[in-house]
Amino acid sequence: MGISVGKHVDAQGRIYLPCLQNWSHPKSDIVGLVKEMIAKFQEELPLYSVSSSDEARQVDLLAYIAKITEGVSDINSKNWANYENKTINKITVVGGGELGVACTLAISAKGIADRLVLLDLSEGTKGGMMDLEIFNLPNVEISKDLSASAHSKVVIFTVNSLGSSQSYLDVVQRNVDLFRALVPALGHYSQHSILLVASQPVEIMTYVTWKLSTFPANRVIGIGCNLDSQRLQYIITNVLKAQTSGKEIWVIGEQGEDKVAKWGGQEEVMSHISQEQLSSRAMELLKVKGQRSWSVGLSVADLVDSLVNDKKKVHSVSILAKGYYNINNEVFLSLPCILGTNGVAEVLKHTMKDDRVTEKLQSSASSIHGLQQQLKL
């Protein structure tokens, strides 16, 4: 069995065996392949990205590879986790379309990332991608190699495989098929990352990402209603000039027509009727606001800032909603959460019961779950 660059090892010597989980060959074949890799590494050391003065790090990496042949292949070990944690703030954006470019520009403008990788999965070079290559933004790398994402703190999915003259189920299934080829590999390269999903429909694609990655739910997040929530709060405070005594309002639930406004906090600073009137007026103004790529990109950068810099800031994002609002199915809906370096640190709980909100969220959860059951993961 020979080593195939691109299948077993990338250009920088990093191992990737995508089918190892379902490997049907004898163990001796696996051990033989890894031994062949080690011999190749020692013959032609591929760690040229590491300076010659950093011999200790070279030895550590080669020792890690050697452990696999001894039956010690826990890539999530403490030492490996420490190795990843010492790396710089690296962010990967998956998808070179308008949204991917918008996210890249917004993150770059905020100065969040020490290194920003944009994975362009399309054939050829188009529009915004060509311009990014021409003007060469600092700390931004454009690549078609998934391994370029290795050791990212956050991996952002913006890709969509949208077709014409298809049913909605067919369109979503095409997205699922695309994610099935991407998520396991990207999760492999950045095993301690947070996966942030901006692809549509965001609730379903976040669920798909969670299932395909096998990451814990707190580290798989959809952009959800973050943009709508920020806009709604701005409209109430700066457009309607309402005095809310610091009480915040969130847009929660399913992104789109079925989203609903929910006031935060436990104390009534306004009468219930006043709250309803104010939120209804603000939601009407919110409806005329479109979600352009650049505005979504700014929202994504806001979320990445909270995650990478451990801001412990509250955002309304798509999370696993099972157990909230009497939802019993595994679905993702937007709920107010505190975000930090480990993803979702806490989900805000509201003691004030609102039957209208509960009914709305349960209805969304039921329809989303019904569609998920028809998908082929």
Side-chain angles (χ1 to χ4, degrees):
M1 184 186 301
I3 295 176
S4 173
V5 174
K7 181 179 181 183
H8 302 133
V9 185
D10 66 16
Q12 294 177 320
R14 290 171 292 203
I15 298 175
Y16 175 45
L17 298 175
C19 299
L20 191 59
Q21 291 180 343
N22 301 315
W23 192 275
S24 59
H25 301 288
K27 180 180 178 181
S28 58
D29 283 3
I30 303 174
V31 174
L33 175 61
V34 177
K35 285 183 176 178
E36 185 181 351
M37 288 179 178
I38 294 173
K40 189 72 174 177
F41 290 166
Q42 292 172 340
E43 177 185 348
E44 300 176 14
L45 195 65
L47 304 175
Y48 52 78
S49 61
V50 180
S51 64
S52 58
S53 62
D54 196 357
E55 295 180 0
R57 185 174 164 203
Q58 291 180 349
V59 172
D60 286 345
L61 288 173
L62 287 174
Y64 169 75
I65 296 169
K67 284 183 181 179
I68 298 177
T69 62
E70 300 170 1
V72 183
S73 57
D74 183 10
I75 198 168
N76 290 308
S77 66
K78 182 178 180 181
N79 290 338
W80 186 256
N82 289 340
Y83 167 75
E84 282 200 322
N85 289 336
K86 290 178 182 178
T87 59
I88 58 178
N89 282 342
K90 180 177 177 181
I91 310 298
T92 293
V93 177
V94 185
E98 288 187 6
L99 180 55
V101 172
C103 291
T104 300
L105 292 174
I107 293 169
S108 179
K110 288 180 76 73
I112 304 168
D114 299 313
R115 185 179 174 194
L116 181 56
V117 176
L118 175 56
L119 291 179
D120 178 18
L121 307 178
S122 62
E123 296 182 1
T125 303
K126 301 178 182 179
M129 291 300 302
M130 181 177 68
D131 293 337
L132 282 179
E133 290 185 351
I134 291 172
F135 294 104
N136 191 25
L137 290 176
N139 303 325
V140 175
E141 172 191 351
I142 300 174
S143 178
K144 292 183 180 292
D145 182 1
L146 297 185
S147 68
S149 67
H151 307 309
S152 293
K153 295 290 183 68
V154 181
V155 178
I156 305 161
F157 292 86
T158 70
V159 288
N160 282 293
S161 180
L162 301 178
S164 57
S165 65
Q166 294 177 306
S167 69
Y168 182 64
L169 178 61
D170 290 335
V171 171
V172 176
Q173 183 62 56
R174 284 189 62 181
N175 258 3
V176 171
D177 296 340
L178 177 62
F179 272 51
R180 196 163 52 220
L182 292 174
V183 173
L186 291 167
H188 166 85
Y189 286 123
S190 300
Q191 297 191 11
H192 302 285
S193 65
I194 296 167
L195 306 181
L196 180 60
V197 182
S199 302
Q200 297 296 326
V202 67
E203 292 85 14
I204 291 176
M205 298 316 300
T206 307
Y207 167 81
V208 169
T209 301
W210 174 55
K211 284 295 186 181
L212 293 176
S213 68
T214 68
F215 276 28
N218 64 292
R219 291 199 285 117
V220 182
I221 303 167
I223 62 170
C225 297
N226 181 62
L227 176 58
D228 284 333
S229 291
Q230 301 292 340
R231 284 176 167 178
L232 189 66
Q233 292 174 17
Y234 180 88
I235 288 171
I236 289 176
T237 303
N238 298 283
V239 178
L240 300 180
K241 306 293 184 182
Q243 299 297 320
T244 61
S245 300
K247 189 171 185 179
E248 294 182 310
I249 185 172
W250 308 98
V251 178
I252 66 174
E254 183 180 2
Q255 192 183 70
E257 294 298 319
D258 292 325
K259 59 194 174 191
V260 60
K262 172 68 175 176
W263 288 93
Q266 300 180 6
E267 297 180 0
E268 289 278 3
V269 296
M270 296 180 289
S271 69
H272 182 71
I273 295 177
S274 297
Q275 285 185 354
E276 289 297 316
Q277 291 175 340
L278 182 58
S279 60
S280 295
R281 174 59 178 150
M283 289 292 281
E284 287 297 321
L285 294 175
L286 182 63
K287 286 181 180 179
V288 302
K289 303 289 183 182
Q291 292 207 357
R292 304 291 184 183
S293 293
W294 63 267
S295 56
V296 177
L298 290 172
S299 175
V300 168
D302 181 46
L303 293 173
V304 173
D305 188 23
S306 290
L307 293 168
V308 170
N309 294 315
D310 203 25
K311 289 291 188 68
K312 294 297 192 292
K313 180 180 174 183
V314 180
H315 298 269
S316 181
V317 288
S318 301
I319 64 163
L320 184 62
K322 184 177 181 180
Y324 299 96
Y325 291 93
N326 297 323
I327 295 172
N328 298 317
N329 295 318
E330 291 182 339
V331 296
F332 281 69
L333 292 171
S334 286
L335 295 174
C337 305
I338 298 175
L339 299 185
T341 51
N342 292 319
V344 177
E346 181 183 349
V347 181
L348 300 191
K349 297 180 180 179
H350 301 289
T351 57
M352 296 183 62
K353 187 177 179 180
D354 190 328
D355 292 336
R356 179 184 62 87
V357 172
T358 299
E359 182 179 346
K360 196 82 168 179
L361 267 60
Q362 288 181 348
S363 176
S364 290
S366 177
S367 62
I368 290 172
H369 179 69
L371 181 57
Q372 288 173 177
Q373 294 296 100
Q374 301 178 63
L375 297 173
K376 300 174 182 178
L377 293 180

